[in-house]
Amino acid sequence: MRLSVPGDLSILSFNNSLFAQLSYPQLTSVDVNARQLGIEAAAQMISHIENPGLPATKIIVPHVMVERDSCAPPASA
């Protein structure tokens, strides 16, 4: 199709895997902080095993977008 990245098409990946850095061009990616996500999930499971009557809780794990070469800069207004 003769499209260029990021000239014609911007690409964004999810989870900021090592492949995002090793690809060409390097992929912009959302880093969901998988380690912290796992820690929070394990803590919640343990709490619910120890106290089955606990209500469900919502925890927001911070995330960031790691900008690399696969996304074009925003267009000027």
Side-chain angles (χ1 to χ4, degrees):
M1 294 177 62
R2 301 190 190 274
L3 295 173
S4 70
V5 175
D8 299 313
L9 182 70
S10 291
I11 298 177
L12 178 84
S13 69
F14 188 77
N15 207 21
N16 198 30
S17 73
L18 179 61
F19 296 112
Q21 295 175 49
L22 296 177
S23 64
Y24 180 80
Q26 290 186 345
L27 297 177
T28 295
S29 186
V30 176
D31 187 337
V32 296
N33 200 347
R35 183 177 185 279
Q36 189 63 36
L37 195 60
I39 289 169
E40 297 295 345
Q44 287 294 305
M45 286 187 351
I46 292 167
S47 291
H48 285 276
I49 290 169
E50 293 174 345
N51 304 294
L54 279 178
T57 55
K58 183 185 225 181
I59 297 173
I60 297 174
V61 176
H63 59 279
V64 296
M65 184 157 51
V66 180
E67 294 183 36
R68 295 193 180 96
D69 302 327
S70 67
C71 288
S76 299

